[in-house]
Amino acid sequence: MENIENRKFIALDISEKNYLSWVLDVKLHLSAKKLRHTIDEDNTASNEERVTALIFLRHHIDDGQKYEYLTVENPLELWQNLNDRFEHLKAVVLPKALNDWSQLRFKDFKPVSKYNSTLFKIIS
């Protein structure tokens, strides 16, 4: 549990619930550290940059996934493996969000805060 304090954001949960927000967080943090190119195809990242990005990625995934991808030594390969595993969520989440959006009515909520909360959940 000590590692939680050092994490920049919530680690990728093995249940897939936070994959879409996790991807955005990883891209933003790698961009801020000037390491975003390490997860792009045909990158020319140095070995030091790759190792730093790999440590960052491994630090922000669930322990079960760390063991599953234990032999992966390239951040691009780890990124692609996780993408292949979880990318289907876009096909599942988007239709549900569109349905929720079409069913959303202001009159169904007593406080405005509940409406806003539901609205922002659909948008995200």
Side-chain angles (χ1 to χ4, degrees):
M1 296 307 286
E2 297 171 16
N3 289 343
I4 289 177
E5 293 178 24
N6 297 330
R7 289 186 175 147
K8 305 293 184 194
F9 49 88
I10 296 173
L12 177 59
D13 188 10
I14 201 159
S15 69
E16 307 176 357
K17 291 181 181 179
N18 67 335
Y19 174 72
L20 298 174
S21 63
W22 180 85
V23 166
L24 180 60
D25 288 338
V26 167
K27 287 180 178 180
L28 290 173
H29 278 79
L30 287 178
S31 293
K33 293 177 177 243
K34 298 184 180 14
L35 295 171
R36 171 77 187 268
H37 63 282
T38 60
I39 59 170
D40 293 335
E41 290 284 338
D42 300 325
N43 68 65
T44 57
S46 69
N47 193 39
E48 182 180 336
E49 290 173 326
R50 285 190 192 114
V51 169
T52 304
L54 186 61
I55 290 168
F56 180 81
L57 287 172
R58 289 182 50 81
H59 186 69
H60 289 88
I61 60 176
D62 185 78
D63 287 339
Q65 292 167 338
K66 284 181 187 177
Y67 294 117
E68 184 175 342
Y69 299 110
L70 191 60
T71 60
V72 176
E73 296 181 1
N74 185 342
L76 174 60
E77 185 181 348
L78 177 59
W79 182 258
Q80 289 173 336
N81 288 343
L82 292 170
N83 191 36
D84 291 345
R85 179 175 178 173
F86 296 115
E87 187 65 22
H88 70 282
L89 290 177
K90 288 182 182 176
V92 173
V93 172
L94 182 59
K96 183 183 179 324
L98 291 174
N99 182 49
D100 291 347
W101 177 255
S102 68
Q103 302 296 321
L104 184 66
R105 291 181 292 227
F106 190 73
K107 67 180 183 176
D108 292 339
F109 300 90
K110 288 186 181 185
V112 174
S113 61
K114 292 278 188 187
Y115 174 82
N116 284 340
S117 176
T118 303
L119 176 67
F120 289 129
K121 185 176 178 184
I122 291 171
I123 290 171
S124 69

